[in-house]
Amino acid sequence: ILYPKYPEVRFSGFLKGCQMPPSGLMVTRESNRTLFLGISVRGIVLGYVSGSKSELSKEFDELTNLLSEGVFKIIELGISINSKELLLNELRRIHEKQWIQSKRLDRNHNILPCLSPNCGGYTLEAELDITPNGYSEPDFHGWEVKQFGVKKFTHLNSAVITLMTPEPTGGLYTQEGVKVFIEKYGYSDKRGRADRMNFGGIHKHQIRHATTNLTLTLQGFDKEKSLIRNSNGIIALIDHNENIAASWDFPSLLLHWNRKHNKACYVPSLSSKDPFQKYSYGDKVIICESTDFQLFLNAIAYNFIYYDPGIKIEDVSTNPKIKRRSQFRIISKNISKLYGTSELIGIN
């Protein structure tokens, strides 16, 4: 349960139905209690709480070099795998293959050709046997794997990374539809392509965009203290009359970000079309851990993250065809601002 006015999240109702509840430990509010959580092979979450003076708590306190995930310390069992090591080994194998022909997987793991300009991510996912899905879950054994294109593997700080592509959850965009949204805030194609309207361009916090005349704002977030003040807050695009053109609510973004990005790996790639479309992946990757949604919002507030959509309507006057793509992006040198720890690791 999120309490925006206090720096805490509460775990509530977990004793309901418990046949032997640790009531004594809960009523006394004893400090330094330890809560153990585990997952059975059937997916059931099991819990056990021990007092600070118990042998179990003392034994736990003596453990060192434990991995962390959010506020949790991870006790790896003998049957568990080191997911970080497994990922780095796979990325080393992919790097050593050098050039890989562009491809993608379908839902049944069949390899298909990929000919669009953004196939670097699909090709990497295919090598890792990651199939497309609609779930907000990490890609590879608990790790979110993101590819980003570079011109040289020695130049890793100036690349654009697309963090996520969530559709708006409010505003005119959802209330009246994408077509009405583009007709009101979009513009005719700047390359002169007939019967086409676009909505694009980099939108940064509190800076009105010269073409769309919309401003990206944060509502419910305290920039000075880097705190969420309203759990129903939004990221919003507003016009000069303070009308909300499109918005993204905090709860849905928080769930997606914390769930999918707590452990992330950013992989640089080179691309070539000679003699066919292909990709090569670098011998250094950026490993990031321990994120927080407030770090994400703070990065928007200070213009490290920006909104860079690619939304369009073709055949506007006849049979309108709409393409939706809302993108939140960051320059690679700033990726560390979103995590508790971030390091560049050589895998060769």
Side-chain angles (χ1 to χ4, degrees), residues 38-232:
I39 304 174
S40 74
V41 293
R42 292 183 295 162
I44 297 173
V45 178
L46 306 173
Y48 185 87
V49 64
S50 63
S52 60
K53 297 179 180 180
S54 69
E55 289 299 318
L56 183 58
S57 289
K58 291 178 182 178
E59 184 178 344
F60 173 75
D61 290 339
E62 293 175 358
L63 296 177
T64 58
N65 300 321
L66 294 178
L67 297 175
S68 297
E69 180 143 351
V71 298
F72 297 102
K73 298 292 183 181
I74 308 299
I75 303 174
E76 293 193 322
L77 303 179
I79 59 172
S80 67
I81 60 173
N82 186 320
S83 60
K84 182 177 178 180
E85 183 178 335
L86 178 62
L87 174 61
L88 293 177
N89 286 340
E90 280 294 285
L91 293 176
R92 182 181 302 111
R93 174 188 64 80
I94 294 169
H95 164 70
E96 291 173 350
K97 292 182 72 171
Q98 296 185 356
W99 290 105
I100 301 171
Q101 186 166 353
S102 182
K103 60 185 175 181
R104 63 184 177 89
L105 294 183
D106 65 13
R107 295 181 182 273
N108 298 315
H109 296 265
N110 297 310
I111 297 176
L112 303 174
C114 190
L115 302 177
S116 66
N118 60 339
C119 288
Y122 287 120
T123 302
L124 179 60
E125 289 176 352
E127 281 290 324
L128 293 170
D129 197 34
I130 299 169
T131 58
N133 62 71
Y135 304 109
S136 294
E137 299 290 347
D139 294 324
F140 186 88
H141 295 274
W143 289 87
E144 174 74 358
V145 182
K146 287 278 189 182
Q147 171 267 179
F148 62 99
V150 296
K151 293 183 178 180
K152 293 182 179 179
F153 286 140
T154 54
H155 299 167
L156 301 183
N157 288 330
S158 57
V160 175
I161 297 176
T162 300
L163 296 170
M164 57 180 177
T165 57
E167 276 290 283
T169 55
L172 182 77
Y173 187 101
T174 60
Q175 295 164 2
E176 301 291 337
V178 183
K179 186 173 183 293
V180 173
F181 170 84
I182 295 183
E183 288 173 345
K184 184 168 184 176
Y185 299 112
Y187 47 87
S188 298
D189 184 74
K190 292 182 178 180
R191 296 182 184 177
R193 287 169 286 195
D195 215 20
R196 169 170 161 164
M197 292 190 70
N198 298 334
F199 181 86
I202 292 175
H203 293 70
K204 293 186 175 182
H205 184 244
Q206 296 295 7
I207 300 174
R208 187 171 297 279
H209 193 275
T211 304
T212 67
N213 288 314
L214 295 179
T215 303
L216 189 69
T217 64
L218 286 172
Q219 300 179 18
F221 181 73
D222 186 333
K223 177 181 176 180
E224 299 302 319
K225 295 186 177 180
S226 299
L227 289 175
I228 296 174
R229 291 302 188 187
N230 183 352
S231 60
N232 293 316

Side-chain angles (χ1 to χ4, degrees), residues 219-262:
Q219 300 179 18
F221 181 73
D222 186 333
K223 177 181 176 180
E224 299 302 319
K225 295 186 177 180
S226 299
L227 289 175
I228 296 174
R229 291 302 188 187
N230 183 352
S231 60
N232 293 316
I234 57 174
I235 301 172
L237 287 171
I238 61 172
D239 62 21
H240 62 281
N241 290 320
E242 301 295 317
N243 296 312
I244 297 176
S247 65
W248 297 260
D249 64 87
F250 285 1
S252 60
L253 289 177
L254 184 151
L255 180 63
H256 177 92
W257 180 256
N258 284 4
R259 191 172 186 176
K260 195 171 175 67
H261 288 265
N262 189 57

